[in-house]
Amino acid sequence: NVPAKDAALVIGWDELLERALKQEAFINKYPNSTKLPEVTALYNKYKTFVFLGLNNTPLFAYEGKVMVEDAKKVYTNIDFTTNDSQLKKDLMKFMELLKASNYKLTPEIDKYRGEIIGV
């Protein structure tokens, strides 16, 4: 099932994160797979969705630049005790920065997520 349609998520933030973590695990487990380029491209798209959202489902409200409540609920309940994932490590630091800013998008947080997704 597609994750997005018309620039909006059609799956929940939890499903989005779960899919991204599965793609990352595949990349790490099967580095010689013929499917690696496809899965890597998909992973990069999902990672962008995780840290930015989409135009019609942004991670931060356009007004006020505060993290949307649905995503906040999912992201604050991630089990970071199993840091076997670079995505989880990146997300853990992201959430620490957000917590310190009351979940409001700051230039520092924007810069950090840009580094993560390569923008």
Side-chain angles (χ1 to χ4, degrees):
N1 295 337
V2 296
K5 185 176 181 182
D6 297 327
L9 282 176
V10 294
I11 60 174
W13 293 98
D14 53 345
E15 176 73 16
L16 175 70
L17 186 58
E18 185 180 320
R19 289 183 186 189
L21 289 168
K22 285 180 180 178
Q23 293 155 5
E24 180 187 39
F26 179 93
I27 291 166
N28 292 333
K29 189 172 182 179
Y30 303 106
N32 299 317
S33 170
T34 58
K35 297 280 186 189
L36 189 63
E38 289 174 50
V39 175
T40 300
L42 189 61
Y43 171 66
N44 288 331
K45 182 166 72 169
Y46 272 75
K47 192 164 65 166
T48 300
F49 295 167
V50 166
F51 286 98
L52 297 178
L54 287 95
N55 287 345
N56 294 326
T57 315
L59 184 58
F60 294 92
Y62 286 117
E63 290 192 24
K65 300 290 184 197
V66 175
M67 188 177 201
V68 296
E69 208 50 47
D70 289 344
K72 183 179 171 186
K73 285 178 188 171
V74 171
Y75 290 11
T76 54
N77 287 310
I78 296 170
D79 180 8
F80 291 116
T81 59
T82 57
N83 276 342
D84 54 346
S85 157
Q86 185 60 48
L87 179 58
K88 272 189 171 183
K89 290 175 187 173
D90 294 340
L91 202 49
M92 183 172 73
K93 182 174 179 188
F94 184 67
M95 293 307 294
E96 288 170 355
L97 291 169
L98 281 170
K99 185 176 182 182
S101 73
N102 269 342
Y103 299 95
K104 188 168 185 168
L105 183 61
T106 65
E108 177 188 19
I109 293 166
D110 196 38
K111 181 179 179 223
Y112 177 73
R113 70 181 182 166
E115 292 168 1
I116 297 300
I117 59 172
V119 202

